[in-house]
Amino acid sequence: MTTQRLEDRYGRVATDLRVSLTDRCNLRCSYCMPAEGLDWLPDDSVLTDDEIVRLIRVGVEQLGIREVRFTGGEPLVRRGLVDIVRRTRAIDPALELSITTNALGLARNAAALAQAGLDRVNVSLDTVRAETFHQITRRDRFDDVVAGLEAAREAGLGPIKINAVLLRGVNDDQAAELLRWSIARGYDLRFIEQMPLDAQHGWSREAMVTADEIFERLEAEFELSPAAEPRGSAPAELFRVDGGPATVGVIASVTRPFCGDCDRVRLTADGQVRNCLFAREESDLRGALRAGATDEELAGRWLVAMRGKRAGHGIDDPSFLQPDRPMSAIGG
Ligand code: SAM
Ligand code: SF4
């Protein structure tokens, strides 16, 4: 039974847990990591399946977590994924359970994941041109993503969301094409503004494609009208496309931050709680867990970690510093 809430000093309550299962990945998206990859976490610092499931259980049973999203790195490269999903589902049948994935290998796993209790998938896809896909991800795997999406739909892992990042001079002329492609296949597309979370520190405010520009490009070909549902804590602003029922979302993390409504908390693959993507501090649960802490002690540490959550990410502050870990190591 829930006895406490993950509340911060500003009254925000975290109920949505993003769990990174690995910092490794089989793509090399240019806005995320360098071509040569990164220094991966040493194996012994990565939480075991048992440790992950235990921390999720503490979050759900003691701290009011209602939604769990597995991410990474690439969650599908984690060998125990299906089993972790099954054991997480067993904690609470009402949990909302999803993964954010590049969909490589999803064609093989979608049915097993659905059977294990996964509700939905969010697939990252920035283009529907194989050449541009290769240019962005440095791998020639576009067809695998398409197959993964189809398998996810067949397995009932919907509604399927596609997340896309636009890069100036690379795919920023393809927004309408990607939307048309997604609508034709029944996928819900959302554009995400590029954030300063890449390992190479290559982000710049001037080069990023803003939400306003995304609207401009879409409105050249579609009529967008605000969708009826209130946005709530969901980061995407939703619009009906040509009167609906299809919608498109824009997640303007940089130019229209939604920090005031944030209900998220993150657990890294090496067992650190992060109260924000942009946090500069982490709280170590792995050390406590391996030192024999009880569930109550782990919950206590987690609660303290939330108290330090800042009001906003501060990307526009002159004093803004990019977090030490890149997105792939935090869990996007
Ligand atoms: N590998 C999985 C994937 O790509 O879906 C999960 C991890 S990935 C870090 C999660 C999401 O973060 C992806 O949708 C990706 O496009 C997004 N992402 C990565 N780097 C980003 C950045 N610098 N700005 C905005 N989104 C980013
Ligand atoms: Fe891998 Fe996802 Fe980063 Fe692309 S965005 S390199 S798929 S972790």
Side-chain angles (χ1 to χ4, degrees):
M1 196 179 60
T2 299
T3 51
Q4 298 166 94
R5 304 194 309 168
L6 286 169
E7 186 165 356
D8 67 31
R9 285 173 298 160
Y10 302 94
R12 295 168 297 188
V13 178
T15 54
D16 177 349
L17 173 62
R18 308 283 160 111
V19 179
S20 175
L21 295 180
T22 177
D23 59 332
R24 294 172 193 243
C25 190
N26 38 17
L27 292 183
R28 295 287 183 272
C29 304
S30 62
Y31 50 79
C32 184
M33 58 171 86
E36 66 276 15
L38 297 165
D39 289 334
W40 311 122
L41 290 167
D43 286 347
D44 60 354
S45 74
V46 174
L47 296 181
T48 64
D49 294 1
D50 286 351
E51 289 171 335
I52 288 171
V53 173
R54 177 163 175 217
L55 290 179
I56 294 174
R57 188 171 51 69
V58 169
V60 172
E61 292 182 353
Q62 306 216 8
L63 300 168
I65 292 297
R66 302 304 315 139
E67 179 170 356
V68 173
R69 161 109 36 105
F70 294 112
T71 180
E74 176 44 50
L76 288 174
V77 306
R78 174 124 188 174
R79 219 172 278 136
L81 174 65
V82 172
D83 204 44
I84 292 171
V85 167
R86 182 176 301 109
R87 294 171 67 188
T88 303
R89 170 54 69 212
I91 294 170
D92 182 350
L95 257 189
E96 270 191 63
L97 257 187
S98 59
I99 58 170
T100 296
T101 173
N102 62 25
L104 299 189
L106 187 57
R108 250 192 338 272
N109 282 322
L113 286 166
Q115 214 170 20
L118 192 72
D119 292 316
R120 293 187 295 104
V121 295
N122 283 10
V123 171
S124 305
L125 180 64
D126 309 316
T127 174
V128 289
R129 298 186 199 170
E131 327 79 75
T132 312
F133 184 89
H134 185 264
Q135 188 184 355
I136 294 174
T137 67
R138 304 177 173 113
R139 298 287 186 272
D140 194 14
R141 306 290 300 272
F142 173 65
D143 291 345
D144 297 276
V145 180
V146 175
L149 278 162
E150 283 168 6
R153 182 179 29 216
E154 271 163 37
L157 292 171
I160 295 171
K161 291 183 185 163
I162 294 185
N163 296 340
V165 177
L166 293 182
L167 303 173
R168 197 173 299 289
V170 178
N171 65 340
D172 59 335
D173 58 340
Q174 298 177 27
E177 178 182 341
L178 188 52
L179 179 55
R180 206 170 295 113
W181 188 93
S182 303
I183 290 173
R185 289 157 183 80
Y187 306 136
D188 296 339
L189 178 65
R190 296 136 17 124
F191 291 96
I192 306 178
E193 281 181 342
Q194 188 188 0
M195 295 179 276
L197 287 169
D198 57 312
Q200 319 84 288
H201 292 235
W203 180 91
S204 81
R205 180 77 192 229
E206 299 69 44
M208 68 166 275
V209 180
T210 63
D212 283 349
E213 290 177 83
I214 297 168
F215 290 130
E216 220 173 273
R217 304 221 164 144
L218 293 176
E219 282 175 332
E221 301 205 27
F222 301 98
E223 195 184 307
L224 302 186
S225 49
E229 313 108 73
R231 178 173 165 187
S233 63
E237 284 181 74
L238 270 192
F239 299 88
R240 268 198 300 272
V241 181
D242 290 338
T247 58
V248 64
V250 178
I251 303 181
S253 321
V254 178
T255 61
R256 303 178 200 186
F258 34 85
C259 304
D261 293 319
C262 181
D263 64 356
R264 289 167 191 71
V265 60
R266 298 183 143 80
L267 180 65
T268 65
D270 57 346
Q272 313 296 305
V273 167
R274 293 183 66 98
N275 54 34
C276 172
L277 260 181
F278 293 92
R280 300 198 49 78
E281 308 82 30
E282 301 181 337
S283 303
D284 180 27
L285 291 190
R286 185 193 69 215
L289 188 149
R290 292 187 181 170
T294 62
D295 287 356
E296 287 67 30
E297 284 163 349
L298 292 168
R301 279 182 171 244
W302 201 330
L303 285 164
V304 171
M306 292 311 290
R307 305 297 297 171
K309 180 159 171 151
R310 297 193 192 165
H313 57 46
I315 292 175
D316 281 331
D317 298 348
S319 61
F320 175 76
L321 279 176
Q322 191 173 326
D324 296 331
R325 289 198 201 225
M327 178 82 126
S328 58
I330 295 168

